[in-house]
């Protein structure tokens, strides 16, 4: 009942443990064991969501908690440098969390905000996942209003996509890469560690090494990356499809932290989004999610036989193959649905085509 209610309301739940960190896999399993108790609260949750939805129609004030969060961000970036740019920036807030936070944050940064979908009523203006096909409107707005750049949040503000000065949606992996570059390029962070997951672009690894740091990979999942940041005393981390995790500010993917870091980087270098991206490592990447109900272990064995030439094989999370030419292939079952991810990255797109062709042929035979 609870899951049906959340689906109907286009909502979701994230749980936080006593350490103020998002729950890991073991903790989530414990919650599932006690789910019957949660179901008893169904009616109370229904009423609470209805009341909150009505309240948000007229209440746009910034809560003390949100102001505190915004002020921590402002304290840890070069605000004056951003102010001096006098930027005009369009933001798609998707009628959700960012609607209340962004106006205050952008005012403090001296940025002219061009808002899109800025009524915090929870009625999402488009499909909530911040993918290129869902972000046509914000791209057009950047061009029409002559903005310097744009951003698009997801509903709970833990994913961010950048729109360049031409109104083009930038590949999602660059959100993290730009944040990593912003943090680790600071002189005091030289040689510090960076943590990313197994499916994240090698761009962050290259950047870490450029500044004499080390890049550590974890299993996919925000809690796993956060655990890796703590264990390795990393200065920054994150996931390619999300946003930066910057422990100086907080231990969570945070689109507000990410956009502030990106603005600081652009201001510091006096570059447009396109100019800044040109300075970053170059890779091609392809991500595909397919339905797969078969057994994973036989599949992994077949893949090992096919890719015997791999430089390394990692089974930390699904199976990942790496080659000397910097290409890699990662295949793993989704954490949230009965599907499987196939992700590959390489310098040459033809190499990705080859790896996908070989792996999908094996997958089809296993099915």
């Amino acid at each position: 009942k609870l899951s049906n209610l959340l689906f109907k309301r286009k909502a979701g739940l994230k749980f936080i443990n006593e350490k103020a960190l998002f729950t890991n896999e073991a903790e989530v399993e414990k919650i599932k064991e006690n789910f019957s108790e949660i179901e008893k609260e169904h009616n109370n949750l229904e009423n609470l969501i209805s009341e909150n939805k009505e309240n948000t129609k007229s209440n746009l004030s910034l809560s003390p908690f949100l102001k505190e969060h915004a002020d921590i961000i402002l304290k840890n970036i070069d605000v004056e440098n951003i102010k001096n740019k006098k930027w005009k920036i369009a933001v798609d807030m998707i009628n959700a969390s960012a609607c209340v936070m962004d106006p205050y944050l952008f005012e403090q940064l001296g940025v002219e905000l061009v808002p899109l979908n800025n009524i915090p009523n929870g009625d999402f203006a488009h499909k909530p996942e911040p993918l290129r096909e869902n972000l046509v409107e914000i791209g057009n707005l950047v061009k029409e209003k002559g903005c310097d750049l744009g951003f698009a949040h997801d509903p709970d503000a833990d994913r961010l996509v950048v729109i360049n000065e031409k109104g083009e949606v930038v590949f999602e992996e660059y959100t993290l890469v730009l944040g990593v570059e912003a943090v680790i390029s600071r002189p005091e962070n030289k040689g510090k560690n960076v943590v990313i997951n197994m499916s994240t672009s090698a761009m962050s690894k290259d950047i870490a090494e450029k500044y004499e740091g080390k890049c550590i990979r974890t299993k996919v999942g925000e809690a796993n990356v956060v655990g890796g940041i703590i264990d390795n005393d990393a200065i920054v981390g994150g996931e390619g499809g999300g946003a930066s995790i910057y422990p100086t500010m907080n231990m969570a993917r945070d689109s507000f932290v990410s956009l502030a870091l990106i603005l600081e980087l652009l201001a510091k270098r006096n570059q447009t989004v396109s100019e800044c991206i040109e300075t970053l490592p170059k890779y091609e990447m392809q991500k595909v999610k397919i339905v797969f109900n078969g057994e994973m272990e036989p599949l992994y064995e077949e893949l090992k036989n096919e890719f015997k030439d791999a430089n390394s094989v990692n089974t930390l999370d699904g199976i990942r193959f790496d080659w000397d030419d910097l290409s890699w292939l990662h295949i793993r079952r989704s954490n949230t649905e009965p599907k499987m991810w196939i992700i590959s990255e390489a310098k040459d797109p033809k190499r990705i085509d080859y790896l996908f062709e070989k792996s999908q042929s094996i997958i089809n035979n296993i099915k």
Side-chain angles (χ1 to χ4, degrees):
K1 292 178 180 178
L2 176 62
S3 58
N4 289 339
L5 172 63
L6 293 172
F7 177 78
K8 291 175 183 176
R9 295 294 186 179
K10 307 176 186 176
L13 286 176
K14 284 188 176 181
F15 296 94
I16 299 172
N17 64 23
E18 71 279 3
K19 297 177 182 177
L21 301 176
F22 287 119
T23 47
N24 58 30
E25 291 175 79
E27 290 166 331
V28 169
E29 287 303 314
K30 189 66 176 177
I31 291 170
K32 288 180 180 178
E33 291 174 12
N34 294 283
F35 190 72
S36 59
E37 293 300 316
I38 298 173
E39 284 190 301
K40 294 177 182 179
E41 300 299 320
H42 168 72
N43 292 330
N44 290 337
L45 181 64
E46 171 79 47
N47 295 334
L48 180 62
I49 291 176
S50 298
E51 290 170 8
N52 285 344
K53 189 169 183 181
E54 288 302 315
N55 291 338
T56 57
K57 290 180 179 179
S58 58
N59 184 10
L60 298 177
S61 62
L62 190 72
S63 72
F65 174 78
L66 290 177
K67 183 179 184 301
E68 180 182 356
H69 181 48
D71 288 344
I72 289 172
I73 294 173
L74 295 165
K75 180 181 177 181
N76 286 282
I77 61 168
D78 189 345
V79 172
E80 290 307 312
N81 203 1
I82 295 172
K83 280 184 176 180
N84 290 337
K85 299 303 294 182
K86 302 188 184 303
W87 277 320
K88 179 163 68 171
I89 299 176
V91 183
D92 183 354
M93 307 172 196
I94 199 170
N95 295 334
S97 311
C99 298
V100 181
M101 182 82 141
D102 274 347
Y104 174 77
L105 187 60
F106 277 67
E107 181 182 5
Q108 303 307 306
L109 292 172
V111 172
E112 180 184 344
L113 173 61
V114 180
L116 176 66
N117 302 321
N118 60 326
I119 307 299
N121 56 15
D123 290 328
F124 307 151
H126 53 76
K127 290 183 179 179
E129 194 168 7
L131 301 176
R132 182 176 280 108
E133 58 267 28
N134 299 333
L135 302 176
V136 174
E137 194 176 5
I138 183 65
N140 290 337
L141 186 63
V142 169
K143 288 187 292 185
E144 290 168 5
K145 298 296 183 180
C147 296
D148 297 284
L149 68 153
F151 293 108
H153 297 270
D154 75 336
D156 59 348
D158 68 351
R159 293 180 65 184
L160 182 77
V161 169
V162 184
I163 292 85
N164 70 18
E165 69 284 357
K166 303 170 189 175
E168 299 166 341
V169 177
V170 175
F171 182 46
E172 60 183 8
E173 292 279 333
Y174 280 107
T175 302
L176 173 60
V177 175
L178 290 165
V180 169
E181 177 76 27
V183 172
I184 203 167
S185 64
R186 295 175 179 176
E188 67 270 23
N189 293 333
K190 184 177 180 180
K192 298 283 182 73
N193 291 336
V194 172
V195 174
I196 58 178
N197 74 29
M198 295 286 288
S199 291
T200 297
S201 171
M203 289 188 285
S204 291
K205 176 180 179 291
D206 291 352
I207 290 169
E209 292 174 351
K210 179 174 71 171
Y211 294 103
E212 301 179 17
K214 181 181 178 183
C215 185
I216 298 97
R217 288 188 182 270
T218 71
K219 294 177 68 173
V220 173
E222 183 176 5
N224 297 317
V225 176
V226 169
I229 289 173
I230 294 170
D231 292 344
N232 295 281
D233 193 26
I235 190 63
V236 68
E239 301 187 285
S244 301
I245 301 171
Y246 186 27
T248 298
M249 299 188 195
N250 64 358
M251 280 291 191
R253 288 186 323 210
D254 188 325
S255 60
F256 306 112
V257 169
S258 296
L259 70 83
L261 290 173
I262 291 169
L263 292 181
E264 180 186 71
L265 179 66
L266 297 177
K268 176 182 176 181
R269 299 189 176 178
N270 194 29
Q271 292 176 326
T272 64
V273 171
S274 297
E275 289 169 344
C276 190
I277 286 175
E278 279 300 309
T279 69
L280 300 174
K282 296 291 182 293
Y283 290 89
E284 299 289 334
M285 179 181 269
Q286 188 173 341
K287 307 179 183 184
V288 173
K289 186 163 56 174
I290 62 172
V291 175
F292 183 79
N293 295 311
E295 294 295 323
M296 298 300 289
E297 290 306 321
L299 171 61
Y300 295 157
E301 291 304 314
E302 290 295 326
L303 290 168
K304 287 178 185 177
N305 289 331
E306 178 64 39
F307 298 124
K308 290 179 180 178
D309 62 334
N311 184 49
S312 68
V313 180
N314 190 316
T315 55
L316 174 66
D317 187 2
I319 192 163
R320 175 177 161 132
F321 301 91
D322 283 81
W323 286 268
D324 288 335
D325 63 358
L326 303 183
S327 63
W328 56 266
L329 173 72
H330 187 204
I331 296 177
R332 55 177 287 274
R333 193 182 290 280
S334 169
N335 291 331
T336 57
E337 52 190 331
K339 294 185 179 181
M340 180 171 65
W341 279 104
I342 308 171
I343 301 175
S344 181
E345 184 175 59
K347 293 289 187 179
D348 184 351
K350 292 181 181 178
R351 175 64 174 164
I352 296 176
D353 292 340
Y354 170 80
L355 294 174
F356 262 78
E357 180 183 346
K358 290 293 184 180
S359 59
Q360 287 183 313
S361 175
I362 292 170
I363 291 167
N364 290 336
N365 288 333
I366 293 291
K367 284 182 177 180

